Amino acid sequence: MTVLTTARLTLAPMTEAEWPELCALWSDPEFVRHIFPAGLSSEDVWTRLLRDVGHWAAVGYGNWAMRLTATGEYVGSVGVLDYRRVVDPPIDVPELGWGVAPRFQGQGLAGEGVRAALDWCDGVLKAPRTVCMISPENGPSRALAERVGYAEYVRTTYRGEPVILLERPRP
């Protein structure tokens, strides 16, 4: 499993060690408002964590925990994913996803992590394109997606909620 480093971040595949920090993050109303407005229970967080750990074993890529290299503080996650989402149109290429704890937002850390994940994806997976799914209400994530080369290609619904699918061709 691959560990990535940037100027300020260390990205390491998710492990059981992230569970307490993930529980705190997924219960933070500011963090979940565009994803799961009600938040997630610790049981749901555990299930997501097991999915993340298993994702690496099953397909050789997945979510990285982003930590500040200098302090080890948990910042959030970024990943190259194959969640087999039931969405129309289907997502048939790797999906990029990210989330940063509110106290680290606005510092360029999400962009740093996303660029590292995309560089890895472009160089290792060589997928012809990647996709990301963003809530129409999530302006900061959409702006980041556009800064790294994503463009909207369809508006649809996922689990009954409106979403925007954006795509980025591999350079």
Side-chain angles (χ1 to χ4, degrees), residues 16-39:
E16 181 183 352
E18 274 75 49
W19 190 62
E21 292 152 319
L22 288 168
C23 285
L25 186 63
W26 284 100
S27 65
D28 182 328
E30 181 64 21
F31 178 76
V32 299
R33 68 187 169 115
H34 296 301
I35 309 167
F36 295 109

Side-chain angles (χ1 to χ4, degrees), residues 2-126:
T2 302
V3 174
L4 307 175
T5 57
T6 69
R8 299 179 289 171
L9 297 170
T10 299
L11 285 66
M14 287 284 190
T15 68
E16 181 183 352
E18 274 75 49
W19 190 62
E21 292 152 319
L22 288 168
C23 285
L25 186 63
W26 284 100
S27 65
D28 182 328
E30 181 64 21
F31 178 76
V32 299
R33 68 187 169 115
H34 296 301
I35 309 167
F36 295 109
L40 294 178
S41 70
S42 60
E43 179 181 349
D44 292 333
V45 173
W46 181 249
T47 300
R48 288 179 67 88
L49 177 59
L50 292 176
R51 176 183 68 179
D52 288 343
V53 171
H55 205 276
W56 282 97
V59 297
Y61 54 90
N63 259 324
W64 287 276
M66 294 191 293
R67 294 187 177 277
L68 292 177
T69 301
T71 65
E73 290 174 275
Y74 180 79
V75 171
S77 67
V78 63
V80 180
L81 314 163
D82 179 3
Y83 282 165
R84 312 272 171 113
R85 295 185 195 269
V86 178
V87 63
D88 186 30
I91 297 174
D92 57 356
V93 295
E95 178 182 348
L96 215 78
W98 59 87
V100 171
R103 70 188 185 106
F104 292 109
Q105 292 175 5
Q107 300 174 36
L109 293 167
E112 202 170 308
V114 167
R115 284 181 191 90
L118 281 171
D119 287 347
W120 180 87
C121 185
D122 292 342
V124 175
L125 294 185
K126 299 186 186 317

